[in-house]
Amino acid sequence: MHENKKVAFYTLGCKLNFSETSTISRTFKNEGFSKVEFTERADIYVINTCSVTENADKRFKTIVKQAQKVNADAFVVAIGCYAQLKPEELADVDGVDLVLGATEKFKITDYLNDLTKNDMGEVHSCEIDEADFYVGSYSIGDRTRAFLKVQDGCDYKCTYCTIPLARGISRSDTLENVLQNAKEISEQNIKEIVLTGVNIGDYGKGEFGNKRHEHTFLDLVKALDEVEGIERLRISSIEPNLLKNETIDFVAQSNAFVPHFHIPLQSGSDELLKKMKRRYMSGLYVDRVTQIKRVMPNACIGVDVIVGFPGETDEFFLETYNFLNELDISYLHVFTYSERDNTPAAEMENAVPLKVRKKRSKMLRGLSAKKRRAFYESQLGNTLEVLFEGENKEGYIHGFTENYVKVKMPWDPSYVNTLYQVTLTEIDEDGLVRFEFAKEKVMA
């Protein structure tokens, strides 16, 4: 046991990484470590990396330096997607002692023998096709909501993406495990669970370690809706071709699922969708949005979109811009395309100049602000339920309605992690929404 040893964590990237960091930190606790903030002195610093975010390697080096400043003798471990894709590169970074790939990261404490600094970073990373077992995890981001991982890996071969290389094949947690995790979360007085995975609509695949499966994503949603004690369930991000009408219709009348969907589009041009090897055309996307709005007129719909993909001419970009402008959606997450090693897109002709990529990204971010504002305006006068967050931000407490409108009021700690019915009244100069309490609080 490592009594009195301290460990600190830094997570880059997606919600899935956050939930896995949480699980890994629990294994350290079981070994007798105590967890401290990353800015504090620790014996081990664990950095969970991401291969999707811009300048992943630069960010990583900065974080390693940060750790070394606090304790030059600390043992530094790199895990996560970047560690799987480019282990040698991370091992070369000054100060890094251990790099663990996709399967090894969950057995991290097995690799910590004597915690003496290595002259060279040691690499343990499997071939990615060995990443076929499933490790369930959930993280409690703050006291208000938890991220529950239900699926990992991806069988899609989108031409710009390294995730299948970094996380392996699509595989799922068993239904009973997911329900057990959800129960554990609900017992900790957490009001909202966000379902996460790499491709969660693919849930069910690989439930038995092979492609056979008993359950679908709809089965999962229906079963979770029955778990007692969870006020809210949110689906994080789901592929349009896997978000079936049955699921949309079920969410519309469910007990706990909220009317908020995040659906990757990537491009409004069918020509580019084909080059990206996406599994749908823009018409199917319109159908999904139409169906959601038909059964849940106040639903919030977020969209992922990539700008500057190879071959994206001005015409193709405008096709995407106009497509999104006319669509009844609520906000965009805009990604500027950047080349990734070992992906087909990196070899494609007609690369878009960086300056053009940046300009297009700015245009779409402007469109996103307009869409969010219009969505917030459409909700004024509505009475909705707000879950208040736990942070004092410059004298204000923030919260989210079930359909993801962000509200604020002067800080009052007694509201943290409570649900109230409120009527939305106006949008303030920060672009957030003010409200009046509708009636006595719903539940503490």
Side-chain angles (χ1 to χ4, degrees), residues 381-385 420-425 435-442:
N382 286 353
T383 297
L384 298 160
E385 196 174 276
Y420 281 82
Q421 291 270 339
V422 306
T423 302
L424 305 184
T425 54
F435 58 86
E436 287 163 1
F437 286 101
K439 51 179 191 225
E440 283 311 293
K441 66 178 177 180
V442 190

Side-chain angles (χ1 to χ4, degrees), residues 2 5 33 43-45 68 71-77 95-99 111-122:
H2 301 271
K5 292 274 187 208
F33 282 88
D43 301 282
I44 301 183
Y45 292 93
Q68 287 192 295
N71 180 5
D73 302 323
F75 196 80
V76 178
V77 189
V96 173
D97 299 292
L98 181 62
V99 179
Y111 293 96
L112 307 174
N113 302 330
D114 53 358
L115 296 191
T116 45
K117 295 285 288 173
N118 293 328
D119 292 337
M120 276 295 295
E122 233 183 277

Side-chain angles (χ1 to χ4, degrees), residues 95-107:
V96 173
D97 299 292
L98 181 62
V99 179
L100 297 181
T103 58
E104 294 77 15
K105 63 187 172 195
F106 296 108
K107 305 186 281 244

